[in-house]
Amino acid sequence: ETLTAPEDLKNVMEIMSVLGLNTLQLTLISSLGCALQLKEFNQLFHLIPRPNGVDPLSDSDLEKIVFIGKALGVEVIPEISITTRATGWYHAGFLVECPRTFCESGEIANDITQGSLLPVILEVVRELRGIFDSSSLIHFGSDERNATQACWKESGKLPAYDIFETRLSDLMAANGWYKPSRVLRWENEEGVKYPHRTGGATHYQYTIPDAIEPQDFGSISINSESNPWTVYCQAREWTTLKPHGLMARMPPNLMTGSTNNKGLLAFVIALSSEFPAMKDSSDLEEYISVLCQKLPSSLCADATVKPGRGKPPPRTSNLCRSMTKSSSTPVLRSEPLTSLQMI
């Protein structure tokens, strides 16, 4: 939920290597904004709110992150939201014009009826593929179609998600970029895997289903207040389904800061063949202590979580006000579709 500096990501990957974790998923465009400032799209950067003194991630920053990941045995996967929960595309000028709905719910989509959206998405994908050359996967974010219906209704337009996503899949395939099992999409709240969705791998975030496809991923949210035993049990339940991968969704400072990391360590123990199955929380606590003997002291800090000073303002408030006055500015209007079709 925050923009992380390359040096901090290096520290995260070093710790991941020690823990035996081998994949880092970087959320680059999402409902929280866009952390990118690519060479060909240097005006995309947009965060809500924008942190003071924090620079966007450039091509060279991302290349360094990928290079370090290779050296440490960590695969880095880029994630960009392409259709729904698309606030990060604000500076591209593609958002559906629904300021009232956005102010009330925070939900907004890319306007897939705009003919210039697809070429820009494809060109961004092209750039990311060149940077994340060692990754066999790419994540296309959310597919929350039901949640965007109020936004579309306010705009007076009708979305044709299946048509848009079919065109995206076909154009990626024409360029040799598309293998459905290697493109991930988040599980949506409606629990529907749409048949024409770009991306054949579902990344579960809300549920642990009864059965999954071999290419699917699971995820467990971990923060400084997570109950280690709960995390352990969830991870063990996921292992019985044999997902292609299991992600720990967590803020970077859980690894790099002095905080309670027991949830993360429980996750590692649940997935490691070095440890036996835990019988109860006391058993887990004992093995966390054993694991801590092999780890940097910062990873085993047990700091108390201090109460905050009230609730922060909604992340969408600043953008909500600007959208009420005017729609997003269309600064990205290159037409790379022709060259893409010729490849």
Side-chain angles (χ1 to χ4, degrees):
E1 295 187 358
T2 57
L3 181 60
T4 307
E7 184 62 29
D8 289 334
L9 287 172
K10 174 179 177 291
N11 295 337
V12 166
M13 288 188 289
E14 288 175 345
I15 294 171
M16 287 177 64
S17 182
V18 172
L19 293 176
L21 302 174
N22 59 15
T23 306
L24 175 65
Q25 181 174 316
L26 286 184
T27 303
L28 301 173
I29 302 178
S30 71
S31 61
L32 300 179
C34 174
L36 293 171
Q37 195 165 55
L38 297 173
K39 189 183 303 180
E40 298 299 325
F41 297 99
N42 59 14
Q43 297 181 71
L44 264 182
F45 177 61
H46 173 71
L47 290 180
I48 311 169
R50 177 170 179 169
N52 292 327
V54 177
D55 295 322
L57 295 172
S58 66
D59 302 60
S60 60
D61 290 331
L62 294 172
E63 287 168 355
K64 290 175 185 176
I65 292 166
V66 171
F67 178 80
I68 293 169
K70 283 183 183 179
L72 294 171
V74 176
E75 180 179 2
V76 186
I77 301 173
E79 177 191 345
I80 60 170
S81 193
I82 58 169
T83 53
T84 64
R85 296 188 173 165
T87 314
W89 292 94
Y90 175 71
H91 279 172
F94 293 125
L95 299 184
V96 178
E97 294 186 26
C98 60
R100 188 186 71 252
T101 301
F102 182 66
C103 290
E104 293 174 353
S105 68
E107 290 285 351
I108 198 164
N110 262 335
D111 187 350
I112 57 176
T113 68
Q114 291 194 40
S116 50
L117 171 61
L118 192 55
V120 172
I121 288 178
L122 286 166
E123 192 65 11
V124 170
V125 170
R126 180 209 288 274
E127 284 209 43
L128 292 178
R129 282 179 54 83
I131 295 169
F132 293 85
D133 60 332
S134 63
S135 176
S136 60
L137 299 162
I138 189 168
H139 204 302
F140 278 171
S142 66
D143 190 23
E144 301 287 353
R145 303 185 191 186
N146 281 357
T148 65
Q149 291 308 305
C151 179
W152 285 102
K153 184 177 180 180
E154 180 184 344
S155 73
K157 296 181 178 180
L158 294 174
Y161 283 110
D162 283 345
I163 294 174
F164 178 85
E165 302 234 357
T166 297
R167 289 185 64 203
L168 175 58
S169 300
D170 289 347
L171 287 168
M172 288 182 64
N175 287 279
W177 300 347
Y178 190 54
K179 186 177 180 181
S181 64
R182 314 309 290 169
V183 179
L184 286 80
R185 298 295 286 274
W186 286 114
E187 171 195 22
N188 53 33
E189 291 188 38
E190 54 255 44
V192 177
K193 180 179 177 180
Y194 294 103
H196 298 287
R197 181 187 75 182
T198 300
T202 298
H203 197 166
Y204 288 90
Q205 61 177 332
Y206 300 119
T207 63
I208 302 179
D210 295 330
I212 61 174
E213 299 295 326
Q215 69 269 21
D216 291 342
F217 279 64
S219 66
I220 299 174
S221 293
I222 301 176
N223 56 49
S224 59
E225 297 180 351
S226 295
N227 183 299
W229 180 245
T230 301
V231 171
Y232 176 84
C233 291
Q234 289 176 341
R236 293 296 295 177
E237 186 175 356
W238 266 112
T239 60
T240 64
L241 295 171
K242 299 181 179 180
H244 186 82
L246 181 61
M247 298 283 188
R249 300 184 71 183
M250 51 187 289
N253 64 358
L254 198 63
M255 283 189 175
T256 58
S258 179
T259 185
N260 181 5
N261 295 294
K262 288 185 177 180
L264 172 61
L265 299 180
F267 178 84
V268 171
I269 289 173
L271 301 182
S272 175
S273 59
E274 295 181 14
F275 296 93
M278 303 292 111
K279 299 175 183 177
D280 51 35
S281 58
S282 298
D283 208 13
L284 176 62
E285 190 76 31
E286 179 181 340
Y287 277 94
I288 286 177
S289 299
V290 172
L291 182 59
C292 278
Q293 294 175 12
K294 307 175 184 178
L295 300 175
S297 58
S298 61
L299 267 177
C300 294
D302 195 6
T304 302
V305 178
K306 297 180 180 180
R309 299 182 179 180
K311 296 182 178 180
R315 288 182 179 272
T316 57
S317 59
N318 294 337
L319 180 57
C320 167
R321 285 194 290 271
S322 65
M323 282 193 66
T324 303
K325 297 176 181 177
S326 63
S327 60
S328 54
T329 306
V331 297
L332 302 178
R333 282 295 182 267
S334 60
E335 297 295 340
L337 187 57
T338 303
S339 61
L340 282 169
Q341 289 177 323
M342 292 174 62
I343 293 176

